């Protein structure tokens, strides 16, 4: 009697619902992942003397945009197929396996990124660092910063995206010259002038330019170091502006002059550029409110460009 009553009170399952109850849930696959942030160009870039040689030094501007590398153990994978077009990542995998004397288990790689290539967002270096961090998860290891920079050195010039703070970094030598304790948060409203830039092809023109203007860059670097040591966000914005102006002699930006002319009326604290990329924009020590952001957006729209606002800093 009780069974018949429950049957009347409980609605019968629709055929589709009954099938869903009987179907097994999808199994959660074990995955190992590595992630690395990118940059929005550089707050400072110029010549640095190290061990008697002149090198390209930079202080990158970190942003909350990321590159991911995933490894699915046990999957039917092929590195050449999985990482097609990612030759540097494949080289990093080979170098990692050699460095740690390990063999890759069966599995499949997959990659994803929010960082467009050739724009000055350190997409390539972020890919490599994400790859190494993914492999560390696969093998339960920890690749030190020294090991990582040694691994990167034969592959490409790089940015200091593996650090969680501002640093003066030699891109060709992959060497940290100085880290800064203060980490001011900035806000950037930026545009993309279009096209892509191959960083490697600019190394020699940049070094020639730096040799010709070494004295200007030396005094500017002193100002940059002082601003970062104080953690003075407004002074850092001024440093970035001067760095952008100095770079006009070798890697000119089409819109830099007009941005400089309208900087004060738009209440921007400075400008930032990707020295070897296609991005530039305004820097703000405080987040612009909606009215100010509307003014800046309208200014860029008048140039025929769409802008993006992003929080920056470690």
């Amino acid at each position: 009697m009780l069974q018949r009553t429950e049957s009347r009170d409980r609605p019968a399952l629709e055929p589709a619902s009954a099938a869903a109850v009987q179907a097994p849930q999808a199994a959660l696959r074990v995955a190992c992942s590595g992630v690395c942030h990118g940059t929005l160009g550089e707050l400072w870039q110029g010549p640095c003397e190290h061990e008697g040689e002149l090198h390209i030094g930079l202080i990158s501007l970190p942003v909350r945009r990321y590159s991911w590398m995933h490894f699915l153990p046990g999957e039917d994978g092929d590195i050449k197929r999985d990482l097609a077009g990612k030759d540097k990542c494949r080289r990093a995998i080979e170098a990692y396996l050699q460095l740690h004397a390990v063999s890759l288990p069966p599995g499949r790689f997959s990659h994803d990124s929010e960082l467009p290539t050739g724009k000055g967002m350190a997409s390539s270096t972020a890919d490599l660092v994400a790859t190494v961090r993914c492999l560390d998860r696969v093998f339960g290891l920890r690749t030190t910063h020294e090991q990582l920079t040694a691994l990167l050195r034969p592959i490409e010039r790089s940015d200091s995206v593996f650090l969680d703070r501002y640093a003066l970094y030699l891109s060709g030598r992959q060497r940290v010259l100085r880290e800064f304790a203060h980490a001011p948060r900035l806000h950037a409203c930026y545009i993309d002038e279009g096209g892509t830039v191959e960083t490697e092809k600019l190394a020699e023109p940049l070094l020639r330019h730096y040799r010709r203007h070494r004295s200007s860059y030396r005094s500017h670097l002193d100002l940059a170091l002082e601003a970062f040591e104080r953690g003075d966000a407004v002074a850092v914005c001024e440093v970035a502006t001067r760095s952008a102006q100095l770079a006009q002699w070798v890697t000119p930006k089409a819109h830099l002059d007009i941005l400089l002319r309208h900087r004060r009326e738009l209440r921007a604290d400075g400008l930032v550029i990707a020295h070897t990329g296609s991005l530039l924009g305004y820097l703000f020590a405080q987040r612009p409110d909606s009215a100010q952001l509307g003014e800046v957006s309208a200014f860029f729209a008048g140039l025929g460009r769409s802008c993006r606002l992003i929080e920056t800093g470690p």
Side-chain angles (χ1 to χ4, degrees):
M1 182 71 177
L2 179 60
Q3 290 179 342
R4 286 196 298 271
T5 303
E6 287 185 345
S7 177
R8 284 196 306 269
D9 294 341
R10 179 182 298 171
L13 289 172
E14 296 293 330
S17 302
V21 170
Q22 295 172 2
Q25 291 183 348
L28 179 65
R29 295 180 294 176
V30 176
C32 299
S33 300
V35 61
C36 182
H37 71 263
T39 68
L40 183 62
E42 297 80 26
L43 294 167
W44 183 88
Q45 181 168 307
C48 285
E49 294 182 15
H50 181 69
E51 297 179 348
E53 295 182 358
L54 195 69
H55 298 277
I56 298 173
L58 47 86
I59 302 174
S60 294
L61 179 58
V63 292
R64 288 157 188 76
R65 296 288 184 272
Y66 300 91
S67 172
W68 289 270
M69 185 64 74
H70 309 288
F71 184 75
L72 297 167
E75 298 276 334
D76 182 17
D78 177 84
I79 291 181
K80 288 185 178 180
R81 181 192 65 204
D82 298 340
L83 299 179
K86 292 292 176 183
D87 297 346
K88 290 181 179 180
C89 291
R90 296 204 301 268
R91 288 174 61 188
I93 293 169
E94 293 172 5
Y96 182 99
L97 299 178
Q98 212 169 27
L99 171 67
H100 292 290
V102 291
S103 298
L104 196 65
R108 179 169 61 85
F109 283 99
S110 63
H111 170 262
D112 190 19
S113 180
E114 297 175 312
L115 306 170
T117 60
K119 300 295 184 181
M121 300 194 78
S123 61
S124 181
T125 306
D127 287 348
L128 295 174
V129 174
T131 299
V132 170
R133 289 175 174 172
C134 174
L135 291 169
D136 275 351
R137 296 292 299 274
V138 171
F139 294 102
L141 299 172
R142 180 182 176 274
T143 302
T144 66
H145 288 170
E146 292 76 15
Q147 290 173 320
L148 177 59
T149 54
L151 188 151
L152 291 174
R153 196 170 296 121
I155 300 176
E156 68 167 16
R157 292 181 173 274
S158 67
D159 292 82
S160 56
V161 291
F162 55 90
L163 297 176
D164 291 323
R165 60 180 59 195
Y166 292 113
L168 177 60
Y169 188 72
L170 299 184
S171 62
R173 294 293 300 274
Q174 280 85 20
R175 183 184 295 272
V176 178
L177 290 187
R178 190 164 176 175
E179 294 185 40
F180 304 108
H182 296 289
R185 296 286 176 89
L186 305 173
H187 299 269
C189 194
Y190 69 95
I191 61 170
D192 181 359
E193 288 194 324
T196 58
V197 176
E198 293 186 42
T199 303
E200 294 295 334
K201 291 184 177 181
L202 286 173
E204 285 307 314
L206 283 170
L207 286 171
R208 288 196 298 269
H209 167 69
Y210 295 155
R211 290 187 186 98
R212 288 194 299 268
H213 303 281
R214 191 178 301 192
S215 60
S216 296
Y217 274 101
R218 185 180 293 116
S219 59
H220 185 234
L221 177 58
D222 290 340
L223 293 174
L225 297 179
E226 291 174 10
F228 277 99
E229 288 298 342
R230 296 196 310 269
D232 187 334
V234 174
V236 167
C237 292
E238 288 290 351
V239 164
T241 303
R242 181 58 180 154
S243 188
Q245 290 173 303
L246 288 170
Q248 277 294 88
W249 295 334
V250 62
T251 55
K253 297 289 186 287
H255 295 86
L256 184 68
D257 289 341
I258 192 169
L259 263 67
L260 286 168
R261 289 200 300 271
H262 291 272
R263 169 192 168 189
R264 299 300 181 188
E265 68 185 72
L266 293 170
R267 292 166 287 155
D269 294 295
L271 278 78
V272 64
I273 67 167
H275 287 68
T276 54
S278 60
L279 308 179
L280 80 162
Y282 287 123
L283 282 175
F284 302 89
Q286 301 292 328
R287 183 182 177 89
D289 60 24
S290 57
Q292 186 180 9
L293 183 58
E295 292 173 12
V296 176
S297 301
F299 167 74
F300 283 124
L303 297 177
R305 302 283 172 172
S306 297
C307 64
R308 295 291 181 268
L309 178 69
I310 189 170
E311 186 181 13
T312 71

